[in-house]
Amino acid sequence: MTGTDFIDKSRDKWNRIYRKSSENEPRPSSVLTDYRYLVPSQGRALDIACGLGGNTLYLASSGLMTTAIDLSDEGIDKLKQKATAKNLEVNAIVADVSNAYFASNEQYHQAFDVISVSNYLDRQLFTIFPDLLRPGGLLFYQTFVQDKSDVENGPSNPAFLLEANELLALTQPLVCRVFYDLGTVGDTGHGLRNQSCIIAQKGG
Ligand SMILES: C[S@@+](CC[C@H](N)C(=O)[O-])C[C@H]1O[C@@H](n2cnc3c(N)ncnc32)[C@H](O)[C@@H]1O
């Protein structure tokens, strides 16, 4: 399958999911809400692979001028409707996020105080985050791990699952402010399982 075929298939899949979705209140990721006191109340935010925009709407309602990008035009349409209904200004864009996309758009360079990514893993993107963040800016990343307590939760393809401690390595040279990855240690009925989270800051 070529890269374009893969992107087309992925767009079709997510469009089908969002067409059927009756989710009225897409939820923000817990790394944002649990650490809401680290989210600035002004500046610019970027939500990558935003889907229906749980993170986007949360960031915009926190006072940030928020750009949201996703491959799925149907997801982006629903997000725009939701933002309008909530009287929130959101810059919602249909695009295939990749390093080439960001590198070719000068307006993204050192532009963001916050970047959020949840339930999506593209390891290549980590090399561009330091360039997209303003000095002092924060990356909030939360996605699925290989060491899941519930194997049905999240993707099964290991390419889309983090290894133990992988977020710590991927986010270098950003400074880690918060990191957790509980794996299957202890009582798996407690704590955030199946996913790992990081909040990492650009120095300066
Ligand atoms: C599991 S959903 C996560 C949505 C949202 N971040 C959330 O946590 O609810 C994955 C999203 O990634 C988007 N996606 C997949 N590949 C993409 C790409 N190459 N560029 C932009 N978005 C992509 C899909 O369209 C889908 O909305």
Side-chain angles (χ1 to χ4, degrees):
M1 203 186 318
T2 66
T4 320
D5 290 342
F6 180 79
I7 290 295
D8 287 346
K9 270 191 88 165
S10 183
R11 181 186 294 108
D12 290 348
K13 171 184 144 183
W14 286 102
N15 272 344
R16 266 197 311 280
I17 291 171
Y18 294 142
R19 203 173 302 145
K20 282 197 210 138
S21 168
S22 56
E23 197 169 2
N24 275 326
E25 283 300 328
R27 280 184 302 168
S29 54
S30 60
V31 71
L32 278 174
T33 54
D34 289 353
Y35 292 91
R36 54 171 63 87
Y37 53 88
L38 298 184
V39 177
S41 56
Q42 57 184 12
R44 289 186 64 193
L46 173 66
D47 185 17
I48 294 179
C50 61
L52 295 174
N55 294 341
T56 310
L57 297 167
Y58 183 80
L59 292 167
S61 64
S62 303
L64 291 148
M65 282 172 50
T66 306
T67 296
I69 308 177
D70 199 282
L71 197 59
S72 162
D73 47 297
E74 300 203 26
I76 290 289
D77 281 348
K78 284 195 168 182
L79 167 56
K80 283 181 178 170
Q81 287 166 22
K82 187 59 70 192
T84 304
K86 288 178 177 285
N87 214 10
L88 291 171
E89 210 172 305
V90 163
N91 178 24
I93 299 168
V94 178
D96 166 17
V97 288
S98 63
N99 289 15
Y101 169 78
F102 287 117
S104 63
N105 281 282
E106 184 63 25
Q107 78 268 23
Y108 295 128
H109 175 70
Q110 299 220 21
F112 297 103
D113 302 283
V114 170
I115 297 175
S116 66
V117 189
S118 61
N119 303 317
Y120 179 71
L121 181 58
D122 175 351
R123 292 174 172 84
Q124 292 297 320
L125 286 178
F126 286 85
T127 60
I128 201 116
F129 291 144
D131 186 56
L132 302 181
L133 287 167
R134 285 184 178 150
L138 295 167
L139 170 69
F140 291 75
Y141 208 111
Q142 174 167 351
T143 199
F144 293 96
V145 293
Q146 291 180 8
D147 189 14
K148 292 191 272 185
S149 60
D150 173 4
V151 288
E152 302 296 325
N153 196 329
S156 52
N157 182 344
F160 301 124
L161 298 171
L162 291 162
E163 291 176 29
N165 279 353
E166 193 180 352
L167 276 180
L168 284 174
L170 286 170
T171 50
Q172 296 290 328
L174 302 179
V175 178
C176 173
R177 296 299 182 194
V178 174
F179 171 71
Y180 43 103
D181 181 357
L182 303 184
T184 47
V185 177
D187 179 354
T188 57
H190 293 273
L192 180 82
R193 303 295 172 158
N194 309 307
Q195 295 201 320
S196 175
C197 302
I198 199 160
I199 304 174
Q201 186 175 32
K202 179 169 170 172

